[in-house]
Amino acid sequence: VDAMDASGRWYEVHITQVKNVDPDTDEEDDDSLDDAPGRGCRHVRVDFSRYGGHAEWIDVESDRLATAGRFTLGKSDEPPDSPAKPVQTPVTTDTKNKAQAQAQAQTKKAVQDTAESNAKVCTMPGYGACGLQNLGNTCYMNSGLECISYFPLLRSYLLSGEYKTTGDLNKDNPLGTEGRLLEEFVDLLRFMWSAKAGEKSPTRLRHLIAKLKPDVFAGADQQDAQELLSYVLDALMEDSNRVRKKPYVEGLEDNWVKKMRLPRVGEEAWRRERRRSRSIVTDVITGQTLSTTTCPICNYASQKFDIFNLLSVPLPTVADVMFKCFIIRRANAFNTPW
């Protein structure tokens, strides 16, 4: 099982003894693992000695116990202090001393390695509680990748592998990355939401992004997180685009836009955009903004719907300034009468 010691770290340990306590009489009954379960509260004895701790009794109903592999890495079948099988050699005093010293060194190193690896194990009982290690000045990249990982619909789509079964993976798109960024991001996402570790080094994805966009992300300098976020979302959209051959789509004419109501104009603009882009990113993370341009001389106004997946909101410099924002999921004649 996985058990938490007194310091709050998780380790994979064996149950050595089971104890049943009657809540009415407070009598203890020590049973072996093969005995039938008794009545009352059950406690189990686990041994942390190979990790530098000691044996403890833990209530089975507490949050300190979990299924093996839930919060730890590695296998319990192979303890860290198990030395290799010795070779048959003539036994002398010097050979025996060297063998004992070597075994002690191996045991010490194995315990240290196990403690270091388990120190990074996720101690929070929830999926997705996995941070990304900073590879120099890559905190901007880590924050952007973690934001994308918390889009529920996008995450469930990628982790389910539906993009492979439905044929959405587009490796022939010249505007994409031949599917490499999508598949590499899915591997990272799958580890982050496996609840096995508390942190992960995104080395491979970092090298891939630097290779795909070397003029911006190849160096070790700090970059803009929004720029990284925009690039990754666009790449994911192109790698999962179901439109294999994009048609040429003309823009809306100003005369037609002036005659029609805005909901109808928005629907037509969105329909034309969907002719070139049909992906999971377009379905769940893309919207439209209405921009109006007015000539200061003749007062001629031109309106246009633009596609966006990120919105830049300016932060006020005065503390008492407040903004009121309206978010409309789908415009129609009822919620957008103008």
Side-chain angles (χ1 to χ4, degrees):
V1 295
D2 287 354
M4 182 192 296
D5 65 355
S7 63
R9 295 179 178 178
W10 287 90
Y11 298 100
E12 190 169 357
V13 295
H14 291 283
I15 297 177
T16 60
Q17 196 174 359
V18 179
K19 176 174 64 175
N20 296 306
V21 180
D22 192 339
D24 298 331
T25 61
D26 291 336
E27 295 181 355
E28 299 181 358
D29 181 18
D30 295 342
D31 296 330
S32 64
L33 294 177
D34 297 331
D35 292 341
R39 297 179 180 177
C41 302
R42 165 162 291 198
H43 295 71
V44 293
R45 188 174 186 268
V46 295
D47 191 5
F48 296 101
S49 59
R50 63 172 180 173
Y51 303 112
H54 55 83
E56 296 184 28
W57 286 97
I58 302 178
D59 188 352
V60 296
E61 300 296 334
S62 68
D63 296 334
R64 296 178 60 190
L65 292 177
T67 307
R70 177 66 172 83
F71 297 115
T72 60
L73 302 173
K75 298 180 179 179
S76 60
D77 298 335
E78 222 171 335
D81 54 349
S82 59
K85 187 177 181 180
V87 182
Q88 297 294 336
T89 56
V91 179
T92 62
T93 304
D94 295 339
T95 305
K96 186 176 181 180
N97 293 336
K98 291 181 179 179
Q100 291 178 352
Q102 185 179 5
Q104 291 177 357
Q106 291 178 352
T107 302
K108 184 177 180 181
K109 184 178 183 302
V111 172
Q112 290 177 353
D113 294 342
T114 305
E116 291 177 359
S117 63
N118 282 275
K120 301 176 182 179
V121 168
C122 175
T123 58
M124 297 181 63
Y127 293 92
C130 177
L132 299 179
Q133 295 179 359
N134 191 6
L135 306 175
N137 291 325
T138 60
C139 53
Y140 71 94
M141 182 188 70
N142 296 345
S143 60
L145 296 177
E146 290 176 354
C147 285
I148 300 177
S149 71
Y150 273 85
F151 289 126
L153 296 179
L154 176 64
R155 182 181 66 245
S156 61
Y157 170 83
L158 296 176
L159 292 180
S160 65
E162 186 178 349
Y163 63 94
K164 292 183 178 180
T165 59
T166 58
D168 292 349
L169 183 61
N170 191 346
K171 296 185 178 182
D172 301 326
N173 191 347
L175 300 178
T177 65
E178 299 179 353
R180 292 182 295 171
L181 192 142
L182 187 146
E183 292 182 317
E184 194 64 46
F185 180 71
V186 170
D187 291 341
L188 176 63
L189 199 65
R190 185 174 291 110
F191 184 90
M192 292 175 61
W193 287 83
S194 63
K196 290 185 177 180
E199 62 182 62
K200 170 68 174 175
S201 176
T203 306
R204 297 196 312 181
L205 185 58
R206 159 82 172 108
H207 291 336
L208 178 60
I209 294 176
K211 184 178 179 180
L212 294 174
K213 198 136 179 102
D215 55 332
V216 181
F217 306 115
D221 298 333
Q222 184 68 262
Q223 302 295 337
D224 186 20
Q226 183 180 357
E227 186 176 2
L228 183 281
L229 189 61
S230 177
Y231 172 74
V232 173
L233 287 177
D234 290 341
L236 293 177
M237 188 271 292
E238 297 295 348
D239 285 349
S240 60
N241 196 350
R242 295 184 288 270
V243 179
R244 293 299 188 262
K245 187 176 180 180
K246 294 186 178 183
Y248 172 74
V249 179
E250 295 183 354
L252 299 177
E253 298 181 358
D254 292 341
N255 294 333
W256 183 85
V257 173
K258 294 178 65 175
K259 296 178 182 178
M260 306 302 295
R261 294 173 57 87
L262 281 180
R264 177 68 182 90
V265 177
E267 291 178 359
E268 180 61 24
W270 182 251
R271 187 188 68 83
R272 297 194 180 194
E273 173 63 23
R274 296 281 289 177
R275 292 181 60 188
R276 295 177 53 86
S277 176
R278 287 182 178 271
S279 70
I280 182 64
V281 178
T282 310
D283 294 339
V284 301
I285 315 180
T286 304
Q288 288 178 303
T289 57
L290 175 64
S291 60
T292 304
T293 305
T294 305
C295 178
I297 299 176
C298 64
N299 293 328
Y300 177 80
S302 175
Q303 292 181 325
K304 181 182 177 182
F305 281 92
D306 297 317
I307 302 299
F308 77 95
N309 51 30
L310 294 175
L311 280 178
S312 299
V313 180
L315 297 178
T317 56
V318 184
D320 56 354
V321 174
M322 299 182 62
F323 289 90
K324 182 179 291 186
C325 301
F326 295 93
I327 300 177
I328 303 173
R329 294 188 175 274
R330 180 171 296 178
N332 52 50
F334 297 99
N335 56 27
T336 54
W338 57 86

